[in-house]
Amino acid sequence: VQLQASGGGLVQAGGSLRLSCAVSGSVFRVNGMGWYRQAPGKQRELVAGITSGGSTNYADSLKGRFIISRDNAKNTVYLQMNSLKPEDTAVYYCNADVVASRWLGYQSTYWGQGTLVTVSS
């Protein structure tokens, strides 16, 4: 199972970016998916999560600016980031809880490689 994140880059404060993360490989079912971020010198923190049914949760500080969504047919999760601030600068990581085979009765959590978002002031 692999997760490939994309969409990061350099943007000015107030701008927007959309991140994508696709799950590929041996996948029977993808359950929860999410985005985390890690700024320089800080711990990794939750940005947002989404269940297979579409229920979402967000870090309190990001509600209203970031929107998480997913396309179950494509096993892809998205993060729409609006009104970006310099403090949003971080490496953004996606993760997914994957059941690799119909014969497995458990899920495993996989992580993408991270995509850098830099917001200039």
Side-chain angles (χ1 to χ4, degrees):
V1 176
Q2 298 86 37
L3 275 67
Q4 181 67 47
S6 61
L10 175 64
V11 64
Q12 287 189 332
S16 298
L17 279 176
R18 188 190 194 209
L19 306 182
S20 300
C21 176
V23 181
S24 62
S26 176
V27 176
F28 172 65
R29 184 174 66 246
V30 179
N31 293 329
M33 305 181 82
W35 290 95
Y36 287 72
R37 69 183 184 183
Q38 187 166 18
K42 295 187 177 181
Q43 291 188 331
R44 189 174 298 190
E45 63 177 359
L46 172 70
V47 174
I50 185 168
T51 68
S52 57
S55 296
T56 59
N57 65 287
Y58 295 90
D60 288 342
S61 62
L62 300 176
K63 288 180 181 177
R65 292 196 299 124
F66 288 15
I67 301 172
I68 189 170
S69 62
R70 64 189 286 172
D71 184 333
N72 289 334
K74 297 181 179 179
N75 287 334
T76 299
V77 62
Y78 306 96
L79 184 69
Q80 178 67 43
M81 305 185 293
N82 301 318
S83 302
L84 283 162
K85 304 175 181 180
E87 52 263 42
D88 294 318
T89 295
V91 177
Y92 285 71
Y93 298 90
C94 58
N95 76 349
D97 296 324
V98 178
V99 179
S101 165
R102 64 181 297 175
W103 310 113
L104 294 176
Y106 61 88
Q107 64 185 22
S108 297
T109 300
Y110 296 87
W111 289 85
Q113 83 285 5
T115 185
L116 177 62
V117 172
T118 304
V119 184
S120 62
S121 57

